[in-house]
Amino acid sequence: MLVESPPEQRAETASALPGRRAIRAAGLLVSLAVLVLVALASIAVGAKELSLGQVWHGLFDASGTYADTVVSDRLSRTLLGLLAGAALGLAGAVLQALTRNPLADPGLLGLNAGASAAVVTAITFFGVTSLSGYVWFAFCGAAAVGAVVWFLGGRRGATPVRLVLAGTAISAALYGYLQAVMILDDAALGRMRFWTVGSLSSGSDEAVMQVVPFLVVGSVLALLLARPLNAMGMGDDTAKALGADLNRTRALSMLVATMLSGAATAACGPIVFVGLMVPHVVRSFTGPDQRWILPYAAVLSPVLLLGADVLGRVVARPAELQVGIVTAIIGGPVFILLVRRRRTAQL
């Protein structure tokens, strides 16, 4: 028997919704302001110490002494960090909603492994050495693995459990292949060692322009999936009753995650924990509504990625620590904390 809420309680809940939306919208604006500050810090701070005046002249004087350092290096890697961070955050949020697993990330379905294996193949067997050459191999590798996972997961009958199992199995096989090739080919090991840890140092106008179309299209599609993913979060039967097309939503979610994580991995290498941590943290204060989780993840993920990149450039001066290493150092303890909190909540 259903018990209807008293009219006073329903009125109170309805009146609280606009206030809750206003708080979330204000929080999103604050997050955007933080992102702007972190992006400015990424331009102003680097392994090479420059004053604010030198940075200013480097930005607006193309013939100046510091133009190459500020524009060609810092500005390009900041733009790449903004794009890649947003892509990883959105991909992680979509995959967590798709698999109904709050600890999922792009690596769970083998997308990072596919990109990495494709780059190793390009370097070892085709002699590709430049980013402009292997960026397409990386993207195609992620796309191919996404298609295989979808096929093995049951295609139209795909379920979250089947997709995760298929992705885990393919990841194990591909990482075994990757390690075998790198051990047998010293040249490939030397060329791959920086890419495999994840870095924004390869950021250039060329790299940014190559991945922009995929990131823009993938981001728009991810935001459009918010309502269907909300319906799927309530269970398959409820989602069908609400009119959601489960097969189409799952297929589009796989496509979006592949497009976003594949492009980001192609440009920066496999950067871990960004797509896992940020959506999980965002969900703690937005609730399960993907209409808020996705925009927040798109804004706060670049904050984490660029902040980690700035930290890596400062702590190891005059050299720099790759951003993939910094996010792994930060993400490991955070991941353990998230798992412990989830286990405690289940108990």
Side-chain angles (χ1 to χ4, degrees):
M1 180 177 179
L2 296 177
V3 180
E4 187 176 359
S5 301
E8 296 82 0
Q9 183 177 348
R10 295 201 303 270
E12 183 180 353
T13 302
S15 63
L17 288 177
R20 190 177 303 171
R21 293 194 192 100
I23 293 174
R24 289 172 176 172
L28 192 58
L29 291 176
V30 172
S31 301
L32 283 169
V34 173
L35 177 59
V36 171
L37 293 176
V38 174
L40 292 175
S42 178
I43 297 173
V45 179
K48 181 178 180 180
E49 294 190 47
L50 296 177
S51 67
L52 292 179
Q54 291 170 332
V55 172
W56 180 267
H57 287 297
L59 282 174
F60 297 102
D61 184 3
S63 61
T65 306
Y66 307 103
D68 287 340
T69 300
V70 176
V71 177
S72 300
D73 182 15
R74 297 185 186 179
L75 183 60
S76 294
R77 74 189 292 168
T78 299
L79 291 175
L80 183 59
L82 290 170
L83 293 170
L88 292 172
L90 285 172
V94 168
L95 288 177
Q96 288 176 12
L98 173 65
T99 61
R100 297 172 194 162
N101 181 356
L103 299 179
D105 73 337
L108 186 67
L109 297 185
L111 303 180
N112 288 346
S116 300
V119 171
V120 168
T121 301
I123 291 175
T124 305
F125 299 107
F126 297 100
V128 179
T129 58
S130 65
L131 173 65
S132 60
Y134 63 65
V135 64
W136 297 104
F137 282 88
F139 182 76
C140 291
V145 169
V148 172
V149 168
W150 176 250
F151 178 81
L152 295 178
R155 292 175 290 181
R156 292 186 177 276
T159 63
V161 174
R162 288 180 179 178
L163 292 174
V164 171
L165 289 175
T168 301
I170 292 175
S171 293
L174 289 178
Y175 278 124
Y177 163 77
L178 186 151
Q179 295 298 326
V181 172
M182 292 178 66
I183 290 173
L184 295 174
D185 188 342
D186 293 337
L189 176 61
R191 287 191 293 266
M192 282 290 297
R193 60 194 180 99
F194 289 112
W195 187 86
T196 53
V197 298
S199 173
L200 298 180
S201 60
S202 60
S204 64
D205 294 338
E206 181 184 13
V208 172
M209 293 307 297
Q210 284 180 328
V211 299
V212 159
F214 300 105
L215 298 181
V216 171
V217 173
S219 298
V220 173
L221 288 176
L223 295 174
L224 292 176
L225 284 171
R227 289 183 181 274
L229 288 174
N230 276 342
M232 286 181 58
M234 292 184 285
D236 290 357
D237 293 336
T238 303
K240 290 178 182 178
L242 293 173
D245 188 329
L246 299 183
N247 293 324
R248 182 177 64 183
T249 301
R250 285 172 180 152
L252 285 175
S253 297
M254 283 292 297
L255 175 64
V256 165
T258 299
M259 190 178 296
L260 292 173
S261 61
T265 303
C268 309
I271 298 176
V272 297
F273 289 117
V274 174
L276 183 153
M277 284 191 297
V278 176
H280 190 87
V281 172
V282 165
R283 194 179 298 105
S284 67
F285 59 83
T286 64
D289 192 344
Q290 299 297 326
R291 293 174 298 175
W292 290 104
I293 292 175
L294 292 170
Y296 266 102
V299 173
L300 292 179
S301 294
V303 171
L304 173 61
L305 188 60
L306 288 176
D309 188 46
V310 172
L311 181 62
R313 282 183 270 171
V314 171
V315 298
R317 280 178 174 170
E320 65 178 71
L321 200 59
Q322 305 300 319
V323 66
I325 298 174
V326 179
T327 57
I329 293 173
I330 296 173
V334 173
F335 180 75
I336 294 173
L337 178 62
L338 293 177
V339 171
R340 287 181 61 85
R341 286 182 59 187
R342 179 171 172 78
R343 182 179 178 183
T344 302
Q346 290 176 341
L347 293 177

